[in-house]
């Protein structure tokens, strides 16, 4: 072929990468791999066959770790943890830095092994997976170094169990291990059954880098090994994978005291407005949905295209799809590699072929025999069609149209997920208006799939909770150094039920800014320690919770400015201060103590404090190594419910309320059951303020009856369990219904933790330059 012809046709040949380096590494280990525990490999067994999905050939045999082997790995991590923490941040930084250097040195081996094991194109493993994994270790070496000065009030959690999927094997390992080690934790990591190979090389590098024995442990196996790790004696589980397994893990850890972060599935919208640069948007889409064969949790798998340009866009997209090359993942001129396993291929086929909606277009490009699937576009779908809602986790793009920006936002958010979103427009005003409205942990403007160790990644809704990367990612691997005292539940005082006066003094619930009778109509008598009747408090039930959450969801508090939130909180504080004596007397009467005045003063102070924070708990612009601004915006977590502590009936009510309102959340407060009258008095203060209807609701009654319903409520994003372990367990047992965050509070003066609990980072990426 002449050079002239090549310029005319733009055809190019194959460019295969040499695989021998990876095969030799396996052969050197006798073709069998086992767990890495206490700084050494255990003898491997041929329990599971690890195969190259592109050819079906067996690469190695792998041990399926038993429960005992998992426990042994956890024991080793437990034994190593105190010394690793004691070693200090700078010493840990040296080790993380050494690991990064070694990974860089062995980058080719890692890239070839990743493509052999997973089927992803070598261009991607070489240029994206491995460099990003290395960057993660460099970045977190810095966090370890800075921990003593920048995070002096935080300590390690202890032993972290980490479970990762098969789509980005080494990258997910890096996202999990680097921050955990930096903060002084030790880890037991379980790679996916399909793709353990780069984790095995990493283990080898740990020994070379001087990682102390027991600090990093890797257990191999399948879902049963993962389940054994969840049950083991670990302090935290960090999981990335499907929402269904995430839900099982949330159930399994309920009541265990283990901290939990979940990075789950998605069905991320890719929105193209009619003024977008179409060619760029199409190239972006190639990355959004055909990168890694679409097996990406944040894949832009749902195209929302402005009606006016839809036909032209789809036609140009099909032309581009036809040019994608599918084949040998180790060929450097391949765009789309192999699907990870025949089981995954079958799932993709079943989902696509099981739907008759829309028109399906498969790319007109040769597809090799075996575990390959052509790039596919399904147009003309309704937003509610199954394929528009369900994660396909393959190279399949589904598409629908919209007419207005408001409709685009509505369709984009019409999903149970909230991981990522992409939008394309040449109008920066439109982009910056739409980005905050999208329910997603990450938003890319005129770009897609941008990642960096300095920028947080993670979801909301059923895409999970917690962030990986950046300062925010460190929260998930550390805790406040000041331990939180376990709240004790107090038994209500009893007395004679005779009314002191003839007038009925039964208080009401406070829902949607109105005093509301409890749905059940019941109330309970509240007595002083000496048995004197102080009044009656209503008993709320499931339907009152429903009404309160409905009011929360309609209140619009999250949309008002921090400045205005501050003014309203200051005003509440002033009103409370003006009635300090009345509240102090009430508190003293209920508790039989004489600390009421002090408690009211503390409540006023905390209101002033969170009023002050309302316009100061800011996001950041992240320092990412590319021509892009990555904005870490602090967004409210959404509708919160709090089970308030019995310890300080007023302060325990006002603190979660003030922290939630300060950060833009609405809140339903379930008041202390033995001392509810401070709460029912407090709604008079709220009535006199400018708090909008539904932003704060107050329920009273036995918290044990309310807790399971809070856990199960699909409209609540978060429950703050501030009244002790038994009720936390009751909430956690139902929290997986909508992958709810459950938080157990922080010390009264640890304002940063309260503010963190009220917010989640949304990372908005905006590339710049021509
Ligand atoms: P899973 O969620 O099943 O697997 C993720 C990890 O969890 C793997 O290491 C897996 O082990 C392990 N695991 C499986 N069951 C349990 C359990 N009961 N307890 C603890 N750990 C467990 O994802 P799959 O790999 O099976 O993929 C299934 C679907 O999940 C995909 O089709 C896709 O839709 C979605 N997915 C989403 C990902 C994301 O990042 N959001 C990533 C991967 C998949 P093992 O693999 O060894 O069985």
């Amino acid at each position: 072929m002449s050079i002239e012809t090549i310029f005319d046709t733009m055809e190019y040949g194959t460019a295969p990468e040499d695989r021998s380096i990876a095969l030799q590494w396996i052969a050197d280990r006798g073709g069998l791999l086992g767990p890495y525990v206490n700084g050494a490999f255990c003898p491997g067994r041929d329990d599971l066959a690890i195969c190259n999905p592109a050819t079906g050939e067996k690469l190695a045999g792998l041990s399926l770790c038993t429960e005992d082997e998992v426990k042994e790995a956890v024991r080793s991590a437990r034994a190593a943890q105190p010394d690793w923490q004691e070693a200090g941040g700078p010493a840990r930084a040296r080790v993380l830095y050494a690991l990064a250097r070694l990974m860089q040195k062995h980058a080719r081996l890692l890239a070839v092994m990743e493509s052999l094991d997973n089927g992803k194109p070598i261009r991607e493993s070489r240029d994206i997976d491995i460099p990003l994994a290395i960057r993660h270790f460099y970045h977190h070496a810095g966090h370890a170094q800075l921990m003593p000065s920048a995070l002096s009030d935080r300590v390690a959690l202890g032993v972290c169990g980490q479970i990762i999927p098969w789509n980005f094997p080494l990258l997910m390992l890096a996202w999990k291990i680097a921050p955990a080690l930096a903060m002084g934790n030790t880890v037991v990591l379980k790679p996916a059954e399909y793709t353990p190979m780069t984790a095995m090389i990493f283990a080898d590098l740990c020994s070379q880098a001087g990682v102390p024995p027991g600090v990093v442990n890797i257990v191999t196996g399948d879902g049963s090994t993962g389940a054994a790790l969840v049950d083991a004696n670990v302090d935290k589980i960090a999981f990335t994978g499907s929402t269904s397994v995430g839900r099982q893990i949330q159930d399994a850890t309920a009541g265990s005291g283990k901290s939990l972060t979940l990075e789950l599935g998605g069905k991320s919208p890719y929105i193209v407005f009619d003024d977008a640069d179409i060619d760029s948007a199409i190239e972006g889409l190639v990355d959004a949905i055909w990168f890694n064969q679409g097996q990406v949790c944040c894949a832009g798998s749902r195209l929302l295209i402005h009606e006016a340009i839809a036909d032209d866009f789809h036609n140009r997209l099909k032309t581009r799809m036809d040019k994608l090359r599918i084949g040998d993942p180790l060929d450097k001129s391949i765009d789309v590699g192999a699907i990870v396993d025949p089981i995954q291929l079958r799932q993709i086929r079943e989902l696509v072929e099981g739907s008759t909606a829309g028109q399906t277009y498969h790319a007109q490009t040769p597809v090799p025999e075996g575990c390959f699937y052509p790039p596919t576009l399904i147009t003309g779908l309704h937003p509610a069609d199954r394929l528009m809602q369900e994660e396909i986790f393959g190279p399949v793009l589904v598409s629908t149209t919209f007419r207005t920006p408001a409709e685009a936002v509505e369709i984009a958010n019409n999903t149970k997920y909230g991981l990522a979103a992409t939008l394309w427009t040449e109008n920066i005003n439109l982009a910056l208006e739409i980005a905050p409205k999208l329910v997603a942990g990450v938003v890319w403007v005129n770009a897609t799939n941008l990642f960096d160790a300095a920028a947080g990644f993670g979801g909301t809704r059923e895409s999970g909770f917690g962030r990986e990367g950046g300062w925010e990612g460190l929260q998930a691997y550390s805790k406040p150094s000041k331990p939180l005292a376990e709240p004790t539940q107090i038994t209500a005082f009893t007395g004679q039920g005779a009314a002191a006066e003839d007038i009925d003094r039964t208080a009401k619930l406070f829902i949607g800014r109105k005093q509301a009778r409890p749905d059940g109509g019941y109330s309970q008598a509240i007595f002083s320690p000496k048995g004197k009747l102080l009044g009656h408090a209503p008993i709320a039930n499931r339907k009152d919770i429903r009404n309160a959450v409905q009011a929360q969801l309609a209140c619009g508090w999250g949309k008002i400015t921090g400045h205005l939130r501050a003014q309203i909180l200051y005003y509440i504080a002033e009103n409370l201060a003006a009635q300090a004596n009345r509240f102090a007397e009430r508190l003293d009467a209920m508790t039989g103590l004489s600390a009421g005045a002090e408690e009211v003063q503390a409540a006023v102070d905390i209101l002033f404090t969170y009023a002050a924070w309302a316009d100061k708990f800011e996001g950041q612009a992240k320092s990412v190594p590319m021509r892009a601004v990555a904005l870490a915006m602090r967004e409210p977590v959404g509708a919160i419910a709090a089970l308030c502590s019995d310890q300080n009936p007023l302060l325990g009510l006002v603190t979660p309320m003030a922290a939630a309102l300060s950060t833009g959340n609405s809140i339903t407060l379930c008041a202390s059951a033995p001392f509810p009258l401070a709460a029912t008095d407090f709604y008079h203060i709220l009535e006199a303020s400018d708090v909008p209807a539904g932003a704060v609701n107050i329920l009273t009654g036995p918290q044990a009856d309310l807790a399971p319903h809070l856990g199960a409520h699909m409209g609540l994003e978060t429950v703050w369990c501030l009244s002790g372990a038994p009720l936390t367990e009751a909430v956690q047992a139902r929290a997986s219904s909508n992958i709810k965050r459950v938080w157990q509070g922080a010390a009264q003066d640890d304002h940063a933790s309260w503010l963190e609990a009220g917010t989640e980072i949304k990372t908005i990426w905006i590339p710049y330059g021509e």
Side-chain angles (χ1 to χ4, degrees):
M1 194 188 285
S2 71
I3 292 184
E4 196 183 343
T5 327
I6 292 173
F7 271 116
D8 273 349
T9 61
M10 293 302 282
E11 275 185 8
Y12 47 96
T14 57
E17 177 72 55
D18 183 5
R19 57 167 55 198
S20 59
I21 185 175
L23 297 181
Q24 188 59 50
W25 190 92
I26 297 169
D28 290 346
R29 280 139 192 93
L32 286 182
L33 297 161
Y36 177 79
V37 177
N38 205 23
F41 282 103
C42 307
R45 296 188 298 270
D46 205 4
D47 301 332
L48 302 167
I50 304 308
C51 297
N52 173 352
T55 60
E57 68 179 313
K58 181 175 171 184
L59 294 171
L62 184 77
S63 300
L64 194 166
C65 284
T66 61
E67 199 180 318
D68 285 343
E69 285 173 310
V70 171
K71 281 185 182 160
E72 185 52 40
V74 172
R75 268 195 293 276
S76 140
R78 178 75 58 203
Q81 201 271 329
D83 283 352
W84 179 243
Q85 180 163 350
E86 284 300 303
R92 295 196 297 275
R94 303 290 174 276
V95 174
L96 288 170
Y97 187 76
L99 265 171
R101 298 283 292 199
L102 274 169
M103 288 167 76
Q104 216 160 20
K105 205 164 136 191
H106 294 283
R108 196 164 152 266
L109 167 63
L110 288 164
V112 173
M113 189 68 94
E114 201 74 302
S115 285
L116 271 181
D117 195 17
N118 167 281
K120 63 173 70 203
I122 185 76
R123 268 193 307 132
E124 292 178 8
S125 43
R126 183 196 60 194
D127 298 344
I128 297 171
D129 291 50
I130 310 305
L132 271 177
I134 294 166
R135 158 96 178 124
H136 234 76
F137 278 94
Y138 277 129
H139 181 79
H140 284 90
H143 279 307
Q145 181 76 26
L146 297 179
M147 188 180 181
S149 54
L151 297 167
S152 57
D153 54 349
R154 296 191 72 86
V155 291
L157 292 172
V159 176
C160 300
Q162 307 181 314
I163 301 171
I164 56 172
W166 41 258
N167 52 352
F168 294 92
L170 188 72
L171 186 56
M172 290 299 105
L173 174 150
W175 281 22
K176 297 268 179 293
I177 291 186
L181 262 46
M183 295 293 99
N185 304 280
T186 55
V187 303
V188 179
L189 176 126
K190 193 204 88 69
E193 173 191 349
Y194 297 152
T195 55
M197 300 305 292
T198 45
M200 297 285 98
I201 300 177
F202 178 81
D204 202 6
L205 299 183
C206 284
S207 295
Q208 294 177 39
V211 177
V215 168
V216 172
N217 304 273
I218 295 179
V219 288
T220 54
D222 63 9
S224 65
T225 314
L229 182 54
V230 170
D231 289 342
N233 174 27
V234 295
D235 302 295
K236 178 202 170 78
I237 290 290
F239 172 80
T240 298
S242 61
T243 298
S244 61
V245 173
R247 188 167 271 132
Q248 286 173 37
I249 291 177
Q250 192 168 17
D251 288 340
T253 53
S256 66
K258 291 171 189 170
S259 62
L260 181 65
T261 40
L262 298 172
E263 201 269 273
L264 308 176
K267 188 79 181 176
S268 301
Y270 189 98
I271 309 167
V272 184
F273 289 97
D274 55 352
D275 66 346
D277 171 351
I278 306 267
D279 289 334
S280 300
I282 286 177
E283 274 322 296
L285 197 45
V286 169
D287 276 341
I289 184 63
W290 293 303
F291 170 57
N292 203 25
Q293 295 68 250
Q295 303 165 127
V296 182
C297 51
C298 55
S301 53
R302 232 171 6 123
L303 172 63
L304 314 185
I305 176 100
H306 192 280
E307 199 177 68
I309 57 165
D311 289 344
D312 178 39
F313 190 91
H314 286 144
N315 289 336
R316 285 156 79 168
L317 179 61
K318 286 175 189 169
T319 306
R320 180 69 181 93
M321 286 166 69
D322 293 346
K323 295 213 162 47
L324 292 171
R325 284 193 176 197
I326 313 176
D328 178 8
L330 285 184
D331 180 350
K332 283 170 237 162
S333 50
I334 277 300
D335 300 305
V336 180
I339 300 296
V340 73
D341 189 87
I343 293 178
Q344 184 66 16
L345 181 64
R346 196 169 65 228
Q347 274 178 25
I348 297 167
R349 284 208 175 114
E350 281 172 7
L351 271 168
V352 174
E353 288 161 19
S355 163
T356 50
Q359 295 80 47
T360 303
Y361 180 81
H362 296 299
Q364 302 299 297
T365 180
V367 181
E369 285 293 306
C371 215
F372 294 90
Y373 195 84
T376 298
L377 167 68
I378 307 179
T379 51
L381 289 175
H382 188 273
D385 283 331
R386 182 179 178 204
L387 293 185
M388 284 296 278
Q389 293 293 331
E390 265 187 47
E391 189 178 34
I392 301 173
F393 226 67
V396 182
L397 176 67
V398 295
S399 171
T400 195
T401 58
F402 67 87
R403 288 183 181 173
T404 62
E407 196 188 4
V409 170
E410 200 178 320
I411 300 174
N413 292 342
N414 177 22
T415 163
K416 61 185 176 183
Y417 297 114
L419 190 52
T422 302
L423 67 96
W424 288 80
T425 170
E426 292 296 291
N427 179 346
I428 187 75
N429 295 337
L430 179 65
L432 294 181
E433 190 200 332
I434 298 295
K437 293 182 179 167
L438 296 171
V439 181
V442 185
V443 177
W444 293 292
V445 175
N446 292 336
T448 201
N449 277 342
L450 302 181
F451 307 101
D452 184 56
F457 181 89
T460 181
R461 291 186 178 163
E462 295 196 19
S463 294
F465 46 77
R467 292 291 175 266
E468 298 189 288
W471 291 100
E472 54 271 36
L474 305 177
Q475 299 287 328
Y477 285 101
S478 59
K479 61 183 178 188
S481 47
K482 197 193 269 187
L484 181 64
E486 170 66 16
T488 44
Q489 280 180 287
I490 297 174
T491 310
F493 301 117
T494 52
Q496 297 303 317
E501 309 99 15
D502 295 338
I503 311 160
D504 177 15
R505 298 212 177 272
T506 304
K508 296 200 177 65
L509 304 173
F510 186 67
I511 298 176
R513 214 166 193 281
K514 291 197 184 88
Q515 296 187 27
R517 277 181 215 291
D519 172 81
Y522 294 107
S523 61
Q524 67 184 117
I526 305 299
F527 296 98
S528 75
K530 292 194 174 143
K532 183 180 167 212
L533 182 69
L534 298 175
H536 286 84
I539 297 180
N541 67 15
R542 182 177 59 86
K543 291 186 186 168
D544 297 307
I545 292 177
R546 179 200 61 194
N547 295 345
V549 177
Q550 264 172 8
Q552 282 184 266
L553 297 177
C555 77
W557 178 257
K559 295 196 183 112
I560 72 170
T561 62
H563 171 73
L564 192 51
R565 295 198 299 266
Q567 301 312 305
I568 292 174
L569 282 167
Y570 281 130
Y571 191 69
I572 296 173
E574 282 171 15
N575 276 349
L576 180 61
Q579 301 192 38
N581 290 344
R582 187 161 78 80
F583 274 89
E585 280 167 22
R586 181 64 113 175
L587 288 168
D588 291 345
M590 281 195 299
T591 59
L593 305 171
S594 51
E598 212 176 300
E599 185 176 338
V600 177
Q601 186 53 49
V604 171
D605 287 347
I606 209 76
L607 281 161
F608 272 104
T609 300
Y610 286 116
W613 272 114
D615 59 357
K616 296 175 193 65
F617 196 57
E618 293 152 340
Q620 290 176 327
K622 295 303 180 104
S623 181
V624 290
M626 61 189 90
R627 287 158 66 83
V629 177
L631 298 174
M633 311 287 288
R634 286 197 183 275
E635 290 201 336
V637 288
I640 299 176
L643 292 164
C644 301
S645 140
D646 293 342
Q647 254 72 50
N648 300 100
L650 180 66
L651 187 59
L653 182 94
V654 167
T655 302
M657 184 202 77
L661 291 184
S662 169
T663 42
N665 300 282
S666 61
I667 188 161
T668 289
L669 299 156
C670 301
S672 155
F675 309 124
L677 300 181
T680 55
D681 288 349
F682 189 73
Y683 61 56
H684 298 297
I685 302 271
L686 294 174
E687 281 172 331
S689 77
D690 284 335
V691 175
V696 183
N697 306 287
I698 296 177
L699 306 182
T700 52
Q703 292 188 350
D705 295 345
L706 300 176
H709 300 301
L710 297 179
H713 200 293
M714 299 296 279
L716 287 171
E717 291 294 331
T718 303
V719 181
W720 289 355
C721 297
L722 313 171
S723 57
L727 294 185
T728 305
E729 188 172 347
V731 172
Q732 284 178 332
R734 311 280 288 275
S736 73
S737 54
N738 65 338
I739 313 287
K740 203 176 267 101
R741 298 159 169 81
V742 179
W743 184 63
Q744 286 165 268
Q748 182 69 25
D749 58 353
D750 183 2
H751 306 135
S753 290
W754 286 90
L755 295 164
E756 292 280 355
T759 50
E760 189 68 280
I761 294 285
K762 174 190 268 182
T763 308
I764 301 179
W765 288 81
I766 310 160
Y768 55 81
E770 282 295 312

